Amino acid sequence: MPERERALQSLQSTPRDVGPTADDLLTLVARGDEAAFERLYDVVSGSVFGLIRRVVRDQAQSEEVFQEVMLEVWRTATRFDAERGSANAWILTLTHRRAVDRVRSAQAATHREDRAARLDPGRPFDEVSEQVDGKLEQRQVRRCLSFLTDLQRESVLLAYYQGYSYPEVASLLGIPLGTVKTRMRDGLIRLRDCMGVTG
Amino acid sequence: MRTTSADLHTLTGAYAVNALSDTERAAFEAHLGGCGSCSQEVAELAATAARLGAAVESPPPPQLRARVLAAAAETRQVSPHVPKIADRRRLRWAGGLLAAACLAAVVVVTVQNVETSDERRLAQLSSEYSRFSDLLSTPDAKLISGTAPNGATGTAVVSASRDEALFLAKNLPQPADGKTYQLWLIGADGERSAGLVVPGSGPSVVTGLAGTERVALTVEPAGGSEKPTTVPVMSMSIV
Ligand SMILES: [Zn+2]
């Protein structure tokens, strides 16, 4: 596993230098290549599960969503278009949508209200900060997050890691609905420019 | 009721972190089809958000690996082609949805039983929002939405340059026997009826907005009233 983690790390930072990239693998998966799917699983399962776990929290539900997402990656790899973005971005976008769908489902609603009431808005960043020591990818995320204003950072992180809708974020932060939408956009734009993401 | 109004082009961030309601998400996706700069920005911001995801890595329980691989071996992959949809307006909506680059695949769901309801939802949305898409692509289109205390939501798309608006209410409870919902345009000159609203039906199209400040929905006797006779169940500012 540590070896795989190292491979993942280098895949993320210098995608062209090591073996097949997630993009190469996903392209093979689109042709029904099960061996490529197995390798892709090893490359992306850590970030897929980590993100689901972060948003959904509950271990059993996270495992369910994880299996659904991985199977969806397999099923819909045929729709991946490498010209429109990286495989990692495609997979994690799908992952986030599914994780958020899960926490928004009626079943989870009451649970989440309690959570929202308890939540200290400062927490998500602190959690990231604790976790992000060490790895290059995480250090860069942390560094770039530090360039955001507090409201930008909190708006982005509450929505992304907690799966809150913008009205929920607005109510947690005590700011108008219109403000939270622009803070999310401004914050992500600042992150994009800092990370050099090209889409 | 809490309402919110936005220049559609500023919703890229909230969309990229999945912070929009289902209705707003669908409306914004319809807008993406006709707005190249938003499509581009969404792709970039979604990729940026994905980096936040990659930063919270945590390995899944090892036993899931064999399970996922076995399930994949028994699962047919979707066709690489965009499904054919006969209705032109639906096709345009589907195009708008697919323009959300990396999000295209999310309309197809993994688990069989989920798939059915999701496909039904997509079909329903596509017929509803094809009516929105023209209006959504006007440069000054504004998206306004609100949630009433009973959980009903109202969404309006307003274009001042076209002097036109669309209004859609969701999760409206059925009115009592002998009652109906009626939509009103309200301005300094008073209220003007914009027609009856049947729960679960498509959007209402409203033209001639001059002087209109709010749209409101009231419960009226069957057949509707000349002027509103009850307190609105929903009221949204459109200016
Ligand atoms: Zn736009």
Side-chain angles (χ1 to χ4, degrees):
Chain A
M1 210 43 148
E3 198 182 323
R4 277 181 184 139
E5 281 182 12
R6 269 199 301 282
L8 172 58
Q9 195 179 324
S10 25
L11 271 176
Q12 286 171 341
S13 44
T14 50
R16 299 286 161 207
D17 294 353
V18 246
T21 63
D23 300 70
D24 299 335
L25 290 170
L26 191 54
T27 304
L28 291 172
V29 171
R31 297 172 203 157
D33 187 332
E34 291 178 35
F37 183 60
E38 202 168 334
R39 296 174 73 183
L40 183 67
Y41 182 102
D42 294 333
V43 171
V44 302
S45 60
S47 39
V48 169
F49 187 73
L51 177 56
I52 293 169
R53 191 68 221 285
R54 167 55 64 100
V55 174
V56 174
R57 301 278 171 149
D58 179 79
Q59 175 75 20
Q61 287 198 48
S62 299
E63 291 180 15
E64 257 174 58
V65 175
F66 170 76
Q67 293 175 75
E68 288 171 15
V69 167
M70 290 309 299
L71 203 56
E72 190 169 349
V73 168
W74 163 260
R75 279 190 74 224
T76 62
T78 46
R79 304 278 166 87
F80 169 67
D81 179 355
E83 303 207 335
R84 308 181 99 163
S86 75
N88 272 316
W90 186 79
I91 291 168
L92 287 174
T93 299
L94 184 125
T95 301
H96 191 257
R97 176 76 72 99
R98 286 284 161 260
V100 168
D101 285 349
R102 174 60 65 109
V103 296
R104 298 245 174 104
S105 72
Q107 200 184 355
T110 34
H111 200 76
R112 275 161 44 72
E113 275 163 28
D114 298 341
R115 217 177 46 166
R118 287 199 306 267
L119 187 80
D120 166 8
R123 240 175 104 215
F125 180 48
D126 297 340
E127 283 183 24
V128 178
S129 309
E130 285 160 23
Q131 286 201 4
V132 295
D133 287 330
K135 296 189 182 170
L136 184 72
E137 169 78 9
Q138 298 173 338
R139 277 205 309 273
Q140 191 193 10
V141 165
R142 187 185 181 182
R143 188 180 68 87
C144 290
L145 280 172
S146 72
F147 297 140
L148 273 56
T149 67
D150 289 350
L151 272 187
Q152 288 173 349
R153 186 170 52 242
E154 283 161 1
S155 301
V156 168
L157 295 184
L158 282 169
Y160 195 74
Y161 287 141
Q162 312 288 338
Y164 289 132
S165 65
Y166 72 86
E168 290 173 322
V169 173
S171 117
L172 277 170
L173 298 179
I175 56 176
L177 289 168
T179 309
V180 79
K181 282 182 281 197
T182 54
R183 292 304 174 272
M184 280 174 186
R185 176 167 180 258
D186 297 345
L188 282 171
I189 286 173
R190 210 176 265 197
L191 275 181
R192 174 197 69 189
D193 295 345
C194 173
M195 291 172 174
V197 174
T198 50
Chain B
M1 127 172 219
R2 304 186 72 182
T3 58
T4 166
S5 148
D7 173 349
L8 278 158
H9 312 290
T10 65
L11 292 180
T12 49
Y15 179 78
V17 291
N18 286 315
L20 298 178
S21 70
D22 284 355
T23 318
E24 289 170 312
R25 182 196 278 179
F28 183 70
E29 284 176 348
H31 169 74
L32 280 177
C35 181
S37 62
C38 280
S39 298
Q40 173 68 26
E41 191 167 288
V42 158
E44 291 170 3
L45 299 189
T48 302
R51 298 283 291 272
L52 294 173
V56 290
E57 217 181 310
S58 153
Q63 70 272 20
L64 297 185
R65 188 174 186 275
R67 230 184 276 172
V68 167
L69 298 178
E74 292 184 359
T75 303
R76 190 181 157 74
Q77 293 177 296
V78 300
S79 135
H81 303 295
V82 178
K84 236 192 217 163
I85 304 172
D87 185 337
R88 268 191 68 94
R89 305 171 95 182
R90 283 194 179 192
L91 193 62
R92 191 169 48 187
W93 154 250
L97 190 66
L98 294 175
C102 44
L103 300 176
V106 304
V107 302
V108 185
V109 175
T110 328
V111 190
Q112 291 301 327
N113 58 358
V114 179
E115 180 168 332
T116 327
S117 68
D118 228 54
E119 280 175 355
R120 207 181 304 125
R121 189 170 141 255
L122 180 67
Q124 188 195 347
L125 285 172
S126 56
S127 62
E128 283 170 6
Y129 290 101
S130 58
R131 304 184 60 182
F132 280 60
S133 59
D134 265 355
L135 200 63
L136 281 162
S137 50
T138 59
D140 68 337
K142 266 203 308 186
L143 178 68
I144 297 155
S145 47
T147 307
N150 66 1
T153 60
T155 302
V157 179
V158 181
S159 168
S161 67
R162 299 235 317 221
D163 196 23
E164 196 179 15
L166 285 160
F167 177 83
L168 179 71
K170 297 201 95 156
N171 303 326
L172 266 187
Q174 287 297 331
D177 275 358
K179 303 283 182 187
T180 182
Y181 289 106
Q182 190 165 3
L183 187 67
W184 305 93
L185 303 180
I186 302 172
D189 302 342
E191 306 93 354
R192 188 158 66 82
S193 173
L196 305 182
V197 171
V198 179
S201 66
S204 307
V205 182
V206 179
T207 50
L209 297 175
T212 302
E213 288 159 8
R214 311 182 66 77
V215 290
L217 196 65
T218 61
V219 176
E220 299 296 335
S225 305
E226 286 285 305
K227 293 287 168 194
T229 61
T230 60
V231 177
V233 293
M234 198 181 270
S235 168
M236 304 195 299
S237 167
I238 64 164
V239 288

